[in-house]
Amino acid sequence: MPRRHWALLLTGLALFPSAGCAPSDSVTIQGCGATFPAPLYKRWFLEFYRLFPDVRVNYQAIGSGAGVRQLEEGLVHFCATDEALSAKRLQAIADKLGQREHKKFELIQVPLTAGSVALCYNLPGNPELKLTRKPYVGILLGEVTSWDDPLIGSANPGLELPSLPITFVRRAESSGTTFVFTNHLSSIDPRWTKEKGGPGKGKSVDWPVGIGGKGNAGVAALVQQTPGAFGYIESGYAELTHLPMATVENRAGHFIKPTVESSLKALAEAKFDKVFGTTVPDPKDKGAYPMVTFTWIVCRKHYDDPRVAEKLKAVLLYALESKNEGRGQELSEQLGYVPLPEKVLKAVRAEVEKIAGPGAESAFSRRAPRTAR
């Protein structure tokens, strides 16, 4: 991903107007959750604001687990998660909201984009590094403790690796990125599974080793600051922070970098359930990068305020645009994420169209947007 896109993103966010500058009839939509898609979400919401200054989306990147809890408590209009919620969990959240507000609730869950989890490191000179599966699982289990371990060296002939302790950096909070990573680890090595006494998979696990960083940005910062560090980060954050990303062995035995193309090959194997949930913990394609995920938003199907319903729907449909230059899914690819395949987009758009207010017909989505300046 070109560096200039990240520079434009950060500049744009710095220029985002304060709430006091918004039109008096504006609507503010509150969302929170996953840090994995946060740079893209903030860019989408900024660009949408430029088109429609009466619509503000305030998104707080606090982690997938915390975001789901905020939605469950009725504190936000939507949450974002890198681990799709099951139909049972969605119903439990809807029931809790219903008990609080004394009416029936339905939730919808849809993916908006996808991405990959990169394995990043901080070594002298930051050489191109290949990692087979056994050593990176060994690092996390505390069995591989130095960068000059033969298990690492065997995949990197001719590369003089330093006798430097490995410091594993992981997420400190409940995180969908952690779920994606540990789901992958559980699928490739039985030692990681709970059945074999390992940490298992989840948004939060009992890591055998390591230090914690807050969010993808926090992990990236710690890896940057710590000689010998090794951590898992959303690949867009790795690109943003100039961290090297390991070339990782996939299921077919090929060494693959996290790119849009290699991630698309992996995600092509995904099969969605009735609430758009899916995982691809270890894709089979020989060109697939092995650690990928969709990332989802969860919201109510109906809102008491018809303005919130119509404008949240419009924001999400904007994010799902695939035919207009500089919008929606094209921005996703520009910022290092993976755009959704067209057949997935069609199904997701149909689900988003179900968002509604208390019977009021919306003309918002039919309104012709002004050209952004």
Side-chain angles (χ1 to χ4, degrees):
M1 179 190 66
R3 308 285 184 196
R4 68 177 183 275
H5 292 305
W6 284 108
L8 287 171
L9 168 65
L10 296 175
T11 301
L13 292 177
L15 294 175
F16 202 105
S18 66
C21 300
S24 59
D25 62 345
S26 66
V27 172
T28 298
I29 298 169
Q30 302 288 352
C32 66
T35 67
F36 187 105
L40 174 61
Y41 284 6
K42 291 182 178 182
R43 176 65 182 275
W44 275 341
F45 303 152
L46 172 62
E47 295 300 332
F48 193 87
Y49 175 86
R50 287 171 169 165
L51 294 170
F52 300 103
D54 58 335
V55 183
R56 303 177 59 83
V57 184
N58 178 23
Y59 182 77
Q60 301 296 320
I62 59 175
S64 296
V68 172
R69 289 192 294 273
Q70 292 269 324
L71 180 72
E72 190 170 32
E73 294 299 321
L75 300 175
V76 292
H77 296 111
F78 72 91
C79 74
T81 176
D82 300 326
E83 178 192 3
L85 305 183
S86 66
K88 183 178 180 180
R89 179 75 173 107
L90 289 168
Q91 187 59 55
I93 295 172
D95 290 345
K96 187 170 182 179
L97 288 169
Q99 291 170 6
R100 179 181 295 106
E101 300 186 24
H102 307 291
K103 57 186 174 183
K104 186 176 180 181
F105 273 99
E106 290 183 84
L107 300 178
I108 68 169
Q109 171 176 257
V110 290
L112 293 188
T113 189
S116 54
V117 177
L119 301 183
C120 298
Y121 50 93
N122 181 347
L123 291 174
N126 284 331
E128 291 283 337
L129 187 68
K130 292 181 178 179
L131 286 176
T132 55
R133 299 177 163 211
K134 191 172 182 179
Y136 69 76
V137 176
I139 290 171
L140 309 181
L141 290 173
E143 299 171 357
V144 175
T145 59
S146 178
W147 282 106
D148 61 353
D149 190 288
L151 277 176
I152 301 174
S154 62
N156 298 275
L159 183 62
E160 188 174 345
L161 291 165
S163 179
L164 185 66
I166 299 171
T167 300
F168 173 54
V169 184
R170 39 97 179 153
R171 291 288 287 273
E173 80 284 14
S174 178
S175 157
T177 307
T178 296
F179 170 78
V180 175
F181 187 41
T182 57
N183 191 32
H184 167 74
L185 296 172
S186 294
S187 71
I188 68 168
D189 195 318
R191 294 177 299 164
W192 194 264
T193 65
K194 284 194 172 182
E195 291 77 8
K196 296 293 184 179
K201 61 184 178 182
K203 289 192 182 85
S204 180
V205 300
D206 292 327
W207 297 99
V209 298
I211 59 175
K214 180 72 172 178
N216 278 285
V219 173
L222 279 173
V223 172
Q224 277 188 316
Q225 297 162 11
T226 310
F230 173 80
Y232 62 99
I233 307 167
E234 191 275 320
S235 58
Y237 273 98
E239 179 74 16
L240 170 64
T241 52
H242 304 261
L243 281 170
M245 294 176 270
T247 303
V248 178
E249 182 186 26
N250 67 9
R251 184 171 177 173
H254 296 268
F255 287 96
I256 306 293
K257 276 192 170 292
T259 65
V260 170
E261 293 74 21
S262 63
S263 297
L264 279 171
K265 288 180 179 180
L267 293 167
E269 300 180 22
K271 295 182 179 179
F272 290 103
D273 61 23
K274 64 181 181 179
V275 292
F276 284 99
T278 189
T279 60
V280 191
D282 194 22
K284 299 176 183 178
D285 191 289
K286 65 181 181 181
Y289 183 72
M291 286 170 277
V292 295
T293 184
F294 292 94
T295 185
W296 293 261
I297 68 100
V298 182
C299 66
R300 303 181 183 197
K301 187 175 287 187
H302 299 97
Y303 291 86
D304 290 338
D305 187 337
R307 298 179 308 159
V308 170
E310 66 184 21
K311 295 178 181 183
L312 176 57
K313 181 196 296 187
V315 169
L316 298 180
L317 290 175
Y318 167 86
L320 295 167
E321 286 188 26
S322 61
K323 303 298 184 183
N324 293 322
E325 184 177 355
R327 301 177 71 169
Q329 295 297 295
E330 185 183 88
L331 286 176
S332 177
E333 186 166 357
Q334 286 181 9
L335 294 180
Y337 294 85
V338 182
L340 301 181
E342 193 59 43
K343 67 177 182 179
V344 176
L345 284 169
K346 183 178 180 181
V348 172
R349 289 187 193 113
E351 190 71 5
V352 169
E353 288 284 359
K354 298 176 183 177
I355 298 173
E361 184 180 15
S362 169
F364 183 86
S365 61
R366 299 194 297 271
R367 195 168 91 197
R370 299 195 302 271
T371 302
R373 289 180 172 84

